[in-house]
């Protein structure tokens, strides 16, 4: 039985039947702090809630560590997202029936930008800021993907989530900006 299972079984026991001295020894194994261990033992039964809280905290932190399969999924999703964005960066598209790529051009600001209401003008500025943020997210994801450390997977997952949210907002903003008819 692994250590986490031992902690879980201790926490599942009926509170009246728990051996809190054993619980304090589990806290000692987690922290390695003998002073804390002795303080918990000397303070029993008043320290029972602290023992439970520390063991539950340990399990929450332990359960937050992704499995190897989840790490592989996170890395694959991030790599796919980066690859898609790199393809979009090329800004090319093959038209049906043609063999050569045709360049798609986006001018950015509308010709009538200065005459637009302020709430629509702000959308353009927001998108410029979002574009910079997304570039930063891309860079951070690429750097973390190069890392072989397991601890990078949760960071990658958070960045992928932020990038997807920013990308969705970015595209919705362009639809609102480009589609505005004053």
């Amino acid at each position: 039985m692994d250590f986490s299972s031992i902690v879980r079984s201790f926490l599942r026991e009926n509170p009246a039947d728990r051996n809190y001295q054993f619980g304090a020894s589990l806290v000692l194994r987690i922290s390695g702090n003998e002073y804390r261990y002795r303080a918990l033992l000397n303070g029993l039964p008043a320290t029972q809630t602290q023992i439970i809280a520390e063991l539950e905290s340990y399990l929450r932190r332990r359960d937050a560590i992704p499995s190897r399969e989840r790490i592989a999924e996170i890395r694959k999703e991030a790599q796919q997202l980066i690859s898609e964005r790199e393809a979009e960066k090329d800004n090319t598209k093959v038209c049906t029936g043609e063999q050569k790529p045709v360049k798609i051009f986006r001018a950015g600001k509308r010709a009538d930008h200065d005459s637009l209401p302020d709430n629509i003008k702000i959308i353009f500025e927001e998108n410029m800021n979002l574009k910079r943020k997304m570039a930063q997210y891309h860079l951070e994801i690429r750097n973390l993907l190069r890392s072989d450390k397991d601890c990078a997977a949760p960071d990658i997952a958070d960045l992928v989530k932020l990038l997807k949210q920013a990308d969705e907002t970015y595209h919705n903003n362009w639809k609102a900006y480009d589609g505005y008819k004053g």
Side-chain angles (χ1 to χ4, degrees):
M1 187 184 296
D2 69 334
F3 184 71
S4 295
S5 299
I6 294 169
V7 172
R8 279 188 181 83
S9 65
F10 174 79
L11 291 173
R12 280 190 210 117
E13 290 178 4
N14 183 358
D17 298 336
R18 285 187 188 139
N19 178 353
Y20 286 97
Q21 291 176 341
F22 177 68
S25 71
L26 294 175
V27 172
L28 173 64
R29 285 182 61 186
I30 292 168
S31 68
N33 186 340
E34 289 187 30
Y35 177 78
R36 177 84 175 122
Y37 168 70
R38 285 192 297 273
L40 288 172
L41 285 180
N42 292 335
L44 283 174
T47 59
Q48 291 175 353
T49 56
Q50 292 174 347
I51 292 170
I52 297 300
E54 288 188 36
L55 293 176
E56 288 174 343
S57 174
Y58 164 78
L59 285 179
R60 278 193 302 277
R61 288 189 317 268
R62 180 76 179 132
D63 291 342
I65 299 172
S67 66
R68 293 188 190 281
E69 294 82 23
R70 179 67 183 132
I71 290 170
E73 288 175 18
I74 290 169
R75 286 180 168 276
K76 183 179 178 183
E77 181 181 6
Q79 189 60 53
Q80 182 180 4
L81 189 61
I82 294 297
S83 298
E84 288 172 4
R85 297 305 174 247
E86 292 297 322
E88 284 180 11
K89 196 175 184 180
D90 285 343
N91 212 18
T92 59
K93 182 178 180 181
V94 177
C95 295
T96 309
E98 293 184 16
Q99 295 299 323
K100 63 181 184 178
V102 177
K103 200 80 157 164
I104 299 171
F105 179 73
R106 276 205 151 151
K109 273 189 184 180
R110 293 170 47 154
D112 62 346
H113 179 80
D114 293 333
S115 64
L116 295 172
D118 289 339
N119 63 330
I120 301 299
K121 287 181 191 178
I122 289 174
I123 292 174
F124 181 83
E125 297 303 322
E126 284 178 15
N127 267 10
M128 294 301 101
N129 291 333
L130 275 173
K131 188 175 180 178
R132 284 188 285 280
K133 274 186 187 177
M134 290 181 348
Q136 183 63 34
Y137 294 152
H138 279 268
L139 179 64
E140 290 179 34
I141 291 170
R142 279 194 302 268
N143 288 339
L144 288 173
L145 283 173
R146 289 184 195 130
S147 169
D148 291 333
K149 296 179 182 177
D150 288 343
C151 62
D155 296 334
I156 293 172
D158 292 343
L159 287 170
V160 166
K161 182 179 175 184
L162 289 172
L163 181 59
K164 284 182 176 180
Q165 290 171 346
D167 187 55
E168 183 178 337
T169 304
Y170 182 77
H171 284 90
N172 289 338
N173 281 353
W174 278 129
K175 286 178 187 174
Y177 181 77
D178 293 338
Y180 179 77
K181 295 185 186 354

